[in-house]
Amino acid sequence: MEREPAINLRHVTKSYRRDQIQIPVLSDLSLTVRQGEFLALMGPSGSGKTTLLNLIAGLDRPSGGAILVQESDLALMSDSQITKWRSDHVGFIFQTYNLIPVLRAQENVELPLLLTKLSRKERRERARTALRIVGLEGREDHFPRQLSGGQEQRVAIARAIVTDPYLLVADEPTGDLDRASAEEILLLLEQLNQEFEKTIVMVTHDPQAAKRATRLLHLDKGKLVADVAQERGAASPVAQEQAS
Amino acid sequence: MKFLGYILRNARRNPVRSLLTIASISVCGFLAMILLSLFSTNNEVRATLVPYNRVITMSAQGFTQPVPIALAREIPAIDDRSGIHAIVHRESDDKPLVSPFSWYGGKFRGESATFFAQFGIDPDTLFDIYPELTIAPDQLKAFKERPDGTVIGRKLAEDKKLQVGDAFELKGEIYPFDMNLTVVGIFDGPEKRDLRTCYFNWNFLNEGLKRDFQGQGANNAGTVLMRCKSDPLVARLCVAVDEDTKSSDRATKTQTEDAFVSQFSEMIKDLQTYINMVGLAVAFSLLVICGVAMAMSMRERTSEVAVLRAIGFQKGQILFMVLAEAVLIAGIGGFIGTFGTMFLFKFWDISPYTMGFFPFFYIPTAVAVTGFLVSVVVGLLSGLVPALRAASLPVIDGLRKVV
């Protein structure tokens, strides 16, 4: 049975203005991301991967077209509405983790919960649960500088899932990690997708990482050039080509 | 309150910078408190003089020119003759509460300058004119009876370690003769009175002038001090006395005690303008110090702010957190600089080090509160630009700075 669409992009275009020059980044891109999908976005630098991720996550607005989420068009939402939508429905995972260095692991995870009506105790409990899910039980009181890169990214993932969003966006989540740590993070993302049914959109240059996704999109010069459903763990033709 | 922990952590993020900023604000606050209190203290003290309805008659040419002692007798007569009856008469003997008030200005026991006020007065009426000053009855009796007796304020006695019965020698600076007095009493009074003053019998000073200065300057009262009944009568008495003397060679200017004291502030009014300008410069410096610190701090945190915006913090919440941090740092500095200074001068009496220029010095509460509020406003203003920048930063631009 085909799942419900989580995000629907219709004829989306995006261009940036540099001085007097209009630079097109995405042109007439239509895409449906279904609930529970694990989508990998690949493509050469400048192909528009991160721009597409930012549009899906509501961090940026399209120059044309519509981005529909739960019957609402992100492009038509006010800044305040789109910010609220992000806090309720999107979890972010960045390449450089972007933890707040002055906050402990638990406090970093708790940060998005400050925007909710939860009590202090409830926030603490939820943050601990999220840290337990990512395998960092016992590291609650560590500052980011006291953690390894892989552990920092786990904290970032815990922060991303603590509000129980349906969409996780990850921009090169393993880009700063060694192979072993990267493998752990990818396993964790897989687990979140399979066990917790999170919809994940991940930008990556790494074909090994892309193998973990259930669907692979390949962008080139702002256009979708390949959209391949794949068995988890199987190397897609595009990924194979990139790897070679 | 939910954000307080995060705000506090950010304020301590760079402890050295935060501490230096707080220290700068504290020092500025300390200096501003001292400068602004010089005049405010005077105004507060003046306000406490008003209820006593005291009046001072001085020469129309200024208080450095003496008025004749005869006026001390004539003024009550003018008061009666004009039907004003403003001057208070002592119940026991119907004596009008009038006293000469003559500056001596000598050096105490070889000191390099005059460090405290010294006045020749009428011992019989002084403590009725100044009911807020207290003295033991036997000491007052001795003061009235002994021509070379002097009564000194409690703080002066403490500074000089003097007791009743001690010799009290003043070396003449204005007059070419010394005053060899004996302490017969120590008076006390409210905090806002000069308790480092020394009073002695005007007659003793006058006799000295006759004896050692060929009578030059003798029979002058300096100024004449009196206590009146009520404020409306005071105004009429002032007019009556000055009217009576205006055609003579001893024209007078009669005014209330607080107006007389305010002359000294008026004399340095230009200085007050400069001091106020220095105060403004201090506030501006604070603004720059805080502004630079906050701008640096926010610049280092561009990506963090972008992350906060990405995970759902609204612009207003970012604005609030940055402003709160700026206000917190400026407020701590301001609190230490203002209330700390107030507390310091509550326990540290600097009068002995001011050559008598400030018989008392303290930071009025109103000045400290104003100073603290200024520091909070400075914090708000200094944080405004960095806060607006942070709040309006496009999220993807902020994230791009690190990725």
Side-chain angles (χ1 to χ4, degrees), chain A residues 16 54 59-60 79-80 83-84 86-87 92 94-95 98 100-104 107 111-112 114-116 123 143 159, chain B residues 2-3 5-6 9-10 12-13 303-315 317 395-396 399-400 402-403:
Chain A
Y16 292 109
N54 288 339
L59 292 175
D60 204 358
D79 186 72
S80 167
T83 305
K84 177 83 173 71
R86 283 199 307 266
S87 79
F92 291 87
F94 304 98
Q95 180 179 351
N98 285 359
I100 309 294
V102 291
L103 298 182
R104 297 173 195 278
E107 292 163 335
L111 211 50
L114 294 179
L115 302 169
T116 66
R123 292 199 305 264
F143 285 100
R159 182 178 66 187
Chain B
K2 277 196 291 191
F3 301 131
Y6 181 58
R9 289 287 178 84
N10 274 329
R12 291 183 311 188
R13 176 183 290 252
S303 63
E304 279 179 37
V305 172
V307 170
L308 291 179
R309 292 279 290 129
I311 64 176
F313 280 71
Q314 298 284 356
K315 284 182 180 178
Q317 288 166 326
V395 182
I396 51 170
L399 291 175
R400 209 171 280 151
V402 280
V403 178

Short mmCIF file of all heavy atoms in Angstrom, two decimals, chain A residues 16 54 59-60 79-80 83-84 86-87 92 94-95 98 100-104 107 111-112 114-116 123 143 159, chain B residues 2-3 5-6 9-10 12-13 303-315 317 395-396 399-400 402-403:
data_model
loop_
_atom_site.label_atom_id
_atom_site.label_comp_id
_atom_site.label_asym_id
_atom_site.label_seq_id
_atom_site.Cartn_x
_atom_site.Cartn_y
_atom_site.Cartn_z
N TYR A 16 18.90 32.57 -6.98
CA TYR A 16 19.48 33.58 -6.10
C TYR A 16 19.94 34.75 -6.94
O TYR A 16 20.26 34.60 -8.11
CB TYR A 16 20.68 33.00 -5.34
CG TYR A 16 20.29 31.95 -4.33
CD1 TYR A 16 20.59 30.61 -4.55
CD2 TYR A 16 19.62 32.31 -3.17
CE1 TYR A 16 20.23 29.65 -3.64
CE2 TYR A 16 19.26 31.35 -2.24
CZ TYR A 16 19.56 30.02 -2.48
OH TYR A 16 19.20 29.07 -1.57
N ASN A 54 16.86 22.64 2.12
CA ASN A 54 16.41 23.83 2.86
C ASN A 54 14.95 24.16 2.54
O ASN A 54 14.20 24.59 3.42
CB ASN A 54 17.30 25.03 2.53
CG ASN A 54 18.68 24.91 3.14
OD1 ASN A 54 18.87 24.16 4.09
ND2 ASN A 54 19.65 25.63 2.60
N LEU A 59 13.38 26.14 5.61
CA LEU A 59 14.40 27.13 5.97
C LEU A 59 14.52 28.21 4.90
O LEU A 59 15.05 29.29 5.15
CB LEU A 59 15.78 26.46 6.14
CG LEU A 59 15.94 25.52 7.33
CD1 LEU A 59 17.31 24.86 7.29
CD2 LEU A 59 15.76 26.28 8.64
N ASP A 60 14.06 27.92 3.73
CA ASP A 60 14.16 28.85 2.60
C ASP A 60 12.83 28.82 1.85
O ASP A 60 12.02 27.91 2.05
CB ASP A 60 15.33 28.40 1.70
CG ASP A 60 15.88 29.56 0.89
OD1 ASP A 60 15.33 30.68 0.99
OD2 ASP A 60 16.86 29.34 0.14
N ASP A 79 6.59 34.17 8.31
CA ASP A 79 7.84 33.74 8.93
C ASP A 79 7.57 33.04 10.27
O ASP A 79 8.15 32.01 10.60
CB ASP A 79 8.76 34.95 9.13
CG ASP A 79 10.12 34.53 9.64
OD1 ASP A 79 10.88 33.95 8.86
OD2 ASP A 79 10.39 34.73 10.85
N SER A 80 6.65 33.64 11.04
CA SER A 80 6.33 33.09 12.35
C SER A 80 5.68 31.70 12.22
O SER A 80 6.00 30.77 12.97
CB SER A 80 5.40 34.07 13.06
OG SER A 80 4.84 33.49 14.18
N THR A 83 8.21 29.08 11.14
CA THR A 83 9.11 28.77 12.26
C THR A 83 8.43 27.79 13.22
O THR A 83 9.02 26.82 13.69
CB THR A 83 9.52 30.06 13.01
OG1 THR A 83 10.07 30.97 12.07
CG2 THR A 83 10.53 29.78 14.10
N LYS A 84 7.15 28.06 13.48
CA LYS A 84 6.37 27.16 14.35
C LYS A 84 6.25 25.77 13.72
O LYS A 84 6.37 24.75 14.41
CB LYS A 84 4.99 27.79 14.58
CG LYS A 84 4.03 26.96 15.41
CD LYS A 84 4.28 27.16 16.88
CE LYS A 84 3.26 26.49 17.77
NZ LYS A 84 3.30 25.06 17.84
N ARG A 86 8.32 24.37 11.70
CA ARG A 86 9.61 23.68 11.83
C ARG A 86 9.76 23.09 13.23
O ARG A 86 10.20 21.95 13.40
CB ARG A 86 10.78 24.65 11.58
CG ARG A 86 11.02 24.96 10.13
CD ARG A 86 12.43 25.52 9.93
NE ARG A 86 12.76 26.65 10.76
CZ ARG A 86 12.64 27.93 10.41
NH1 ARG A 86 12.17 28.24 9.21
NH2 ARG A 86 12.98 28.89 11.23
N SER A 87 9.41 23.91 14.24
CA SER A 87 9.61 23.43 15.62
C SER A 87 8.73 22.22 15.91
O SER A 87 9.09 21.35 16.69
CB SER A 87 9.37 24.54 16.63
OG SER A 87 8.01 24.73 16.84
N PHE A 92 16.50 18.67 12.78
CA PHE A 92 17.65 19.00 11.93
C PHE A 92 18.91 18.28 12.40
O PHE A 92 19.22 18.26 13.60
CB PHE A 92 17.91 20.51 11.96
CG PHE A 92 16.85 21.31 11.26
CD1 PHE A 92 15.72 21.73 11.95
CD2 PHE A 92 16.97 21.64 9.92
CE1 PHE A 92 14.73 22.45 11.32
CE2 PHE A 92 15.98 22.37 9.28
CZ PHE A 92 14.85 22.78 9.97
N PHE A 94 22.97 18.42 11.34
CA PHE A 94 23.92 19.15 10.50
C PHE A 94 25.24 18.40 10.41
O PHE A 94 25.57 17.58 11.27
CB PHE A 94 24.19 20.54 11.10
CG PHE A 94 22.94 21.35 11.30
CD1 PHE A 94 22.32 21.42 12.54
CD2 PHE A 94 22.38 22.07 10.24
CE1 PHE A 94 21.17 22.17 12.73
CE2 PHE A 94 21.23 22.82 10.42
CZ PHE A 94 20.62 22.87 11.67
N GLN A 95 25.99 18.75 9.37
CA GLN A 95 27.29 18.10 9.18
C GLN A 95 28.22 18.34 10.36
O GLN A 95 28.92 17.45 10.82
CB GLN A 95 27.95 18.62 7.89
CG GLN A 95 29.30 17.98 7.62
CD GLN A 95 29.93 18.49 6.32
OE1 GLN A 95 29.28 19.19 5.54
NE2 GLN A 95 31.17 18.14 6.10
N ASN A 98 26.61 21.30 15.22
CA ASN A 98 26.02 22.56 15.68
C ASN A 98 25.37 22.47 17.05
O ASN A 98 24.25 22.93 17.27
CB ASN A 98 25.00 23.10 14.67
CG ASN A 98 25.67 23.70 13.46
OD1 ASN A 98 26.91 23.73 13.39
ND2 ASN A 98 24.90 24.18 12.51
N ILE A 100 25.29 23.56 21.08
CA ILE A 100 25.63 24.80 21.80
C ILE A 100 26.73 24.43 22.79
O ILE A 100 26.51 23.63 23.71
CB ILE A 100 24.40 25.37 22.55
CG1 ILE A 100 23.19 25.49 21.61
CG2 ILE A 100 24.73 26.70 23.21
CD1 ILE A 100 23.29 26.47 20.49
N PRO A 101 27.93 24.99 22.63
CA PRO A 101 29.08 24.52 23.43
C PRO A 101 28.95 24.77 24.93
O PRO A 101 29.58 24.07 25.71
CB PRO A 101 30.26 25.31 22.85
CG PRO A 101 29.67 26.46 22.11
CD PRO A 101 28.31 26.03 21.67
N VAL A 102 28.13 25.76 25.32
CA VAL A 102 28.03 26.06 26.76
C VAL A 102 26.96 25.23 27.47
O VAL A 102 26.78 25.34 28.68
CB VAL A 102 27.75 27.56 27.01
CG1 VAL A 102 28.95 28.40 26.64
CG2 VAL A 102 26.51 28.03 26.27
N LEU A 103 26.26 24.41 26.68
CA LEU A 103 25.21 23.58 27.29
C LEU A 103 25.66 22.12 27.34
O LEU A 103 26.34 21.64 26.43
CB LEU A 103 23.91 23.69 26.49
CG LEU A 103 23.27 25.07 26.39
CD1 LEU A 103 21.97 24.98 25.60
CD2 LEU A 103 23.00 25.66 27.77
N ARG A 104 25.25 21.41 28.39
CA ARG A 104 25.55 19.99 28.51
C ARG A 104 24.71 19.22 27.48
O ARG A 104 23.75 19.78 26.93
CB ARG A 104 25.21 19.50 29.92
CG ARG A 104 26.04 20.17 30.98
CD ARG A 104 25.55 19.80 32.37
NE ARG A 104 26.12 20.70 33.37
CZ ARG A 104 27.33 20.57 33.89
NH1 ARG A 104 28.09 19.57 33.52
NH2 ARG A 104 27.78 21.44 34.79
N GLU A 107 21.08 19.35 28.12
CA GLU A 107 20.52 20.69 27.89
C GLU A 107 20.42 21.00 26.41
O GLU A 107 19.47 21.67 25.97
CB GLU A 107 21.39 21.74 28.60
CG GLU A 107 21.31 21.63 30.11
CD GLU A 107 22.45 22.35 30.82
OE1 GLU A 107 23.53 22.54 30.19
OE2 GLU A 107 22.27 22.71 31.98
N LEU A 111 16.79 21.77 24.38
CA LEU A 111 16.60 23.11 23.80
C LEU A 111 15.29 23.27 23.00
O LEU A 111 14.52 24.20 23.25
CB LEU A 111 17.82 23.45 22.93
CG LEU A 111 18.23 24.91 22.80
CD1 LEU A 111 18.34 25.61 24.13
CD2 LEU A 111 19.56 24.99 22.05
N PRO A 112 14.98 22.35 22.05
CA PRO A 112 13.72 22.53 21.30
C PRO A 112 12.49 22.42 22.19
O PRO A 112 11.44 22.97 21.86
CB PRO A 112 13.74 21.38 20.29
CG PRO A 112 15.15 20.92 20.23
CD PRO A 112 15.72 21.17 21.58
N LEU A 114 12.11 23.77 25.03
CA LEU A 114 11.84 25.05 25.69
C LEU A 114 10.70 25.79 24.99
O LEU A 114 10.07 26.67 25.56
CB LEU A 114 13.09 25.94 25.69
CG LEU A 114 14.28 25.46 26.51
CD1 LEU A 114 15.44 26.44 26.39
CD2 LEU A 114 13.89 25.31 27.98
N LEU A 115 10.45 25.40 23.74
CA LEU A 115 9.39 26.06 22.97
C LEU A 115 8.04 25.41 23.20
O LEU A 115 7.04 25.85 22.65
CB LEU A 115 9.74 26.02 21.48
CG LEU A 115 11.08 26.66 21.11
CD1 LEU A 115 11.46 26.34 19.68
CD2 LEU A 115 11.01 28.17 21.31
N THR A 116 8.03 24.34 24.00
CA THR A 116 6.75 23.65 24.26
C THR A 116 6.24 24.04 25.65
O THR A 116 6.92 24.78 26.37
CB THR A 116 6.95 22.12 24.23
OG1 THR A 116 7.81 21.76 25.33
CG2 THR A 116 7.59 21.69 22.92
N ARG A 123 10.49 17.88 30.47
CA ARG A 123 11.54 18.16 29.47
C ARG A 123 12.76 17.29 29.75
O ARG A 123 13.35 16.70 28.85
CB ARG A 123 11.94 19.65 29.51
CG ARG A 123 10.86 20.61 29.02
CD ARG A 123 11.46 21.97 28.66
NE ARG A 123 12.21 22.58 29.71
CZ ARG A 123 11.74 23.48 30.57
NH1 ARG A 123 10.47 23.84 30.51
NH2 ARG A 123 12.52 24.03 31.48
N PHE A 143 29.72 18.11 28.36
CA PHE A 143 29.68 19.22 27.42
C PHE A 143 30.14 18.70 26.05
O PHE A 143 30.87 17.69 25.98
CB PHE A 143 30.61 20.35 27.88
CG PHE A 143 30.05 21.14 29.04
CD1 PHE A 143 30.48 20.89 30.34
CD2 PHE A 143 29.09 22.13 28.82
CE1 PHE A 143 29.96 21.60 31.41
CE2 PHE A 143 28.57 22.85 29.89
CZ PHE A 143 29.00 22.58 31.18
N ARG A 159 18.65 15.66 19.75
CA ARG A 159 17.99 16.98 19.74
C ARG A 159 16.95 17.02 18.60
O ARG A 159 15.89 17.62 18.75
CB ARG A 159 19.04 18.07 19.54
CG ARG A 159 18.48 19.48 19.56
CD ARG A 159 19.57 20.52 19.40
NE ARG A 159 20.21 20.44 18.09
CZ ARG A 159 21.28 21.15 17.74
NH1 ARG A 159 21.83 21.98 18.61
NH2 ARG A 159 21.80 21.04 16.53
N LYS B 2 12.08 30.07 31.43
CA LYS B 2 12.59 28.84 30.79
C LYS B 2 13.95 29.09 30.15
O LYS B 2 14.79 28.22 30.08
CB LYS B 2 11.60 28.38 29.72
CG LYS B 2 10.46 27.58 30.26
CD LYS B 2 9.73 26.83 29.18
CE LYS B 2 8.97 27.76 28.26
NZ LYS B 2 8.07 27.04 27.35
N PHE B 3 14.12 30.35 29.67
CA PHE B 3 15.35 30.67 28.94
C PHE B 3 16.48 31.15 29.86
O PHE B 3 17.58 31.40 29.40
CB PHE B 3 15.08 31.74 27.88
CG PHE B 3 14.03 31.34 26.88
CD1 PHE B 3 12.98 32.18 26.56
CD2 PHE B 3 14.10 30.11 26.24
CE1 PHE B 3 12.02 31.81 25.64
CE2 PHE B 3 13.14 29.73 25.32
CZ PHE B 3 12.09 30.58 25.01
N GLY B 5 18.34 29.83 32.18
CA GLY B 5 19.55 29.01 32.24
C GLY B 5 20.44 29.24 31.02
O GLY B 5 21.66 29.40 31.15
N TYR B 6 19.81 29.27 29.86
CA TYR B 6 20.57 29.48 28.62
C TYR B 6 21.19 30.88 28.59
O TYR B 6 22.36 31.05 28.19
CB TYR B 6 19.62 29.27 27.43
CG TYR B 6 20.29 29.43 26.09
CD1 TYR B 6 21.38 28.65 25.74
CD2 TYR B 6 19.83 30.37 25.17
CE1 TYR B 6 22.00 28.79 24.52
CE2 TYR B 6 20.44 30.52 23.94
CZ TYR B 6 21.52 29.72 23.62
OH TYR B 6 22.14 29.88 22.41
N ARG B 9 24.17 30.93 30.94
CA ARG B 9 25.31 30.22 30.37
C ARG B 9 26.00 31.08 29.32
O ARG B 9 27.23 31.12 29.23
CB ARG B 9 24.86 28.92 29.71
CG ARG B 9 24.43 27.87 30.69
CD ARG B 9 25.63 27.27 31.43
NE ARG B 9 25.19 26.29 32.40
CZ ARG B 9 24.93 25.03 32.10
NH1 ARG B 9 25.09 24.59 30.87
NH2 ARG B 9 24.50 24.21 33.02
N ASN B 10 25.20 31.76 28.51
CA ASN B 10 25.79 32.61 27.48
C ASN B 10 26.55 33.78 28.08
O ASN B 10 27.60 34.16 27.58
CB ASN B 10 24.70 33.14 26.54
CG ASN B 10 24.41 32.17 25.42
OD1 ASN B 10 25.29 31.45 24.98
ND2 ASN B 10 23.17 32.14 24.97
N ARG B 12 28.16 33.73 30.73
CA ARG B 12 29.43 33.22 31.28
C ARG B 12 30.28 32.53 30.21
O ARG B 12 31.31 31.94 30.53
CB ARG B 12 29.14 32.21 32.40
CG ARG B 12 28.55 32.85 33.63
CD ARG B 12 28.36 31.83 34.70
NE ARG B 12 27.69 30.64 34.20
CZ ARG B 12 27.25 29.64 34.96
NH1 ARG B 12 27.41 29.71 36.25
NH2 ARG B 12 26.65 28.60 34.45
N ARG B 13 29.84 32.61 28.98
CA ARG B 13 30.52 31.89 27.88
C ARG B 13 31.98 32.30 27.77
O ARG B 13 32.88 31.48 27.64
CB ARG B 13 29.79 32.22 26.58
CG ARG B 13 30.40 31.64 25.34
CD ARG B 13 29.59 32.13 24.16
NE ARG B 13 28.27 31.51 24.16
CZ ARG B 13 27.89 30.56 23.29
NH1 ARG B 13 28.73 30.15 22.38
NH2 ARG B 13 26.68 30.06 23.34
N SER B 303 26.29 31.18 13.97
CA SER B 303 25.77 29.87 13.58
C SER B 303 24.82 29.31 14.63
O SER B 303 23.82 28.67 14.32
CB SER B 303 26.92 28.91 13.35
OG SER B 303 27.62 28.74 14.55
N GLU B 304 25.13 29.59 15.89
CA GLU B 304 24.26 29.09 16.96
C GLU B 304 22.87 29.71 16.88
O GLU B 304 21.87 29.04 17.09
CB GLU B 304 24.88 29.42 18.32
CG GLU B 304 25.95 28.44 18.72
CD GLU B 304 26.55 28.80 20.06
OE1 GLU B 304 25.82 29.27 20.94
OE2 GLU B 304 27.77 28.64 20.18
N VAL B 305 22.87 31.02 16.60
CA VAL B 305 21.59 31.71 16.47
C VAL B 305 20.81 31.10 15.30
O VAL B 305 19.59 30.88 15.40
CB VAL B 305 21.80 33.23 16.28
CG1 VAL B 305 20.49 33.91 15.94
CG2 VAL B 305 22.39 33.83 17.53
N ALA B 306 21.53 30.80 14.22
CA ALA B 306 20.87 30.21 13.05
C ALA B 306 20.29 28.84 13.41
O ALA B 306 19.18 28.50 12.98
CB ALA B 306 21.87 30.07 11.91
N VAL B 307 21.01 28.07 14.23
CA VAL B 307 20.51 26.76 14.65
C VAL B 307 19.23 26.94 15.49
O VAL B 307 18.24 26.23 15.30
CB VAL B 307 21.58 25.99 15.44
CG1 VAL B 307 20.99 24.75 16.09
CG2 VAL B 307 22.73 25.60 14.53
N LEU B 308 19.29 27.92 16.40
CA LEU B 308 18.11 28.17 17.23
C LEU B 308 16.91 28.53 16.36
O LEU B 308 15.79 28.06 16.58
CB LEU B 308 18.38 29.31 18.23
CG LEU B 308 19.38 29.01 19.35
CD1 LEU B 308 19.56 30.24 20.23
CD2 LEU B 308 18.91 27.84 20.20
N ARG B 309 17.16 29.39 15.37
CA ARG B 309 16.07 29.77 14.46
C ARG B 309 15.58 28.54 13.70
O ARG B 309 14.38 28.36 13.51
CB ARG B 309 16.55 30.84 13.47
CG ARG B 309 16.86 32.19 14.10
CD ARG B 309 15.60 33.04 14.32
NE ARG B 309 15.04 33.51 13.06
CZ ARG B 309 13.78 33.37 12.71
NH1 ARG B 309 12.94 32.76 13.51
NH2 ARG B 309 13.35 33.84 11.57
N ALA B 310 16.52 27.69 13.25
CA ALA B 310 16.14 26.51 12.47
C ALA B 310 15.26 25.58 13.30
O ALA B 310 14.26 25.07 12.80
CB ALA B 310 17.39 25.77 12.01
N ILE B 311 15.60 25.40 14.58
CA ILE B 311 14.81 24.43 15.37
C ILE B 311 13.54 25.03 15.93
O ILE B 311 12.81 24.37 16.65
CB ILE B 311 15.65 23.78 16.50
CG1 ILE B 311 16.08 24.82 17.54
CG2 ILE B 311 16.84 23.04 15.94
CD1 ILE B 311 16.82 24.19 18.71
N GLY B 312 13.27 26.30 15.59
CA GLY B 312 11.95 26.83 15.90
C GLY B 312 11.87 28.04 16.80
O GLY B 312 10.78 28.47 17.17
N PHE B 313 13.00 28.61 17.19
CA PHE B 313 12.94 29.81 18.01
C PHE B 313 12.48 30.99 17.14
O PHE B 313 13.02 31.20 16.05
CB PHE B 313 14.31 30.13 18.63
CG PHE B 313 14.60 29.31 19.86
CD1 PHE B 313 14.87 27.95 19.75
CD2 PHE B 313 14.60 29.89 21.12
CE1 PHE B 313 15.13 27.18 20.88
CE2 PHE B 313 14.85 29.13 22.25
CZ PHE B 313 15.12 27.77 22.13
N GLN B 314 11.50 31.72 17.64
CA GLN B 314 10.97 32.87 16.89
C GLN B 314 11.94 34.05 16.99
O GLN B 314 12.75 34.12 17.92
CB GLN B 314 9.60 33.29 17.44
CG GLN B 314 8.52 32.22 17.33
CD GLN B 314 7.96 32.05 15.91
OE1 GLN B 314 8.34 32.79 15.00
NE2 GLN B 314 7.10 31.07 15.73
N LYS B 315 11.80 35.01 16.06
CA LYS B 315 12.66 36.19 16.08
C LYS B 315 12.58 36.92 17.42
O LYS B 315 13.57 37.36 17.98
CB LYS B 315 12.24 37.16 14.97
CG LYS B 315 12.68 36.73 13.59
CD LYS B 315 12.27 37.76 12.56
CE LYS B 315 12.73 37.31 11.18
NZ LYS B 315 12.32 38.21 10.12
N GLN B 317 11.90 35.74 20.32
CA GLN B 317 12.58 35.00 21.39
C GLN B 317 14.09 35.21 21.32
O GLN B 317 14.75 35.34 22.35
CB GLN B 317 12.23 33.51 21.29
CG GLN B 317 10.80 33.23 21.71
CD GLN B 317 10.32 31.85 21.30
OE1 GLN B 317 10.70 31.33 20.27
NE2 GLN B 317 9.44 31.28 22.12
N VAL B 395 18.26 32.25 8.19
CA VAL B 395 18.77 31.02 8.80
C VAL B 395 19.85 30.37 7.93
O VAL B 395 20.91 29.99 8.42
CB VAL B 395 17.62 30.01 9.02
CG1 VAL B 395 18.14 28.76 9.71
CG2 VAL B 395 16.52 30.65 9.86
N ILE B 396 19.58 30.32 6.63
CA ILE B 396 20.56 29.60 5.78
C ILE B 396 21.87 30.36 5.68
O ILE B 396 22.93 29.76 5.56
CB ILE B 396 19.98 29.28 4.37
CG1 ILE B 396 19.41 30.54 3.72
CG2 ILE B 396 18.95 28.19 4.45
CD1 ILE B 396 19.07 30.31 2.25
N LEU B 399 23.71 29.45 8.90
CA LEU B 399 24.22 28.07 8.88
C LEU B 399 25.41 27.95 7.93
O LEU B 399 26.34 27.20 8.19
CB LEU B 399 23.11 27.11 8.43
CG LEU B 399 21.97 26.92 9.42
CD1 LEU B 399 20.88 26.05 8.80
CD2 LEU B 399 22.48 26.27 10.70
N ARG B 400 25.38 28.72 6.85
CA ARG B 400 26.45 28.66 5.86
C ARG B 400 27.79 29.09 6.45
O ARG B 400 28.84 28.72 5.99
CB ARG B 400 26.09 29.57 4.69
CG ARG B 400 26.67 29.12 3.38
CD ARG B 400 26.10 29.94 2.25
NE ARG B 400 24.78 29.49 1.85
CZ ARG B 400 23.84 30.27 1.33
NH1 ARG B 400 24.05 31.56 1.19
NH2 ARG B 400 22.68 29.78 0.96
N VAL B 402 29.16 28.19 9.08
CA VAL B 402 29.94 27.09 9.66
C VAL B 402 30.10 25.91 8.73
O VAL B 402 31.07 25.19 8.80
CB VAL B 402 29.31 26.57 10.98
CG1 VAL B 402 29.65 27.46 12.12
CG2 VAL B 402 27.83 26.37 10.82
N VAL B 403 29.09 25.73 7.88
CA VAL B 403 29.11 24.52 7.05
C VAL B 403 30.09 24.72 5.89
O VAL B 403 30.19 25.78 5.36
CB VAL B 403 27.71 24.20 6.51
CG1 VAL B 403 27.75 22.98 5.62
CG2 VAL B 403 26.78 23.97 7.67
#
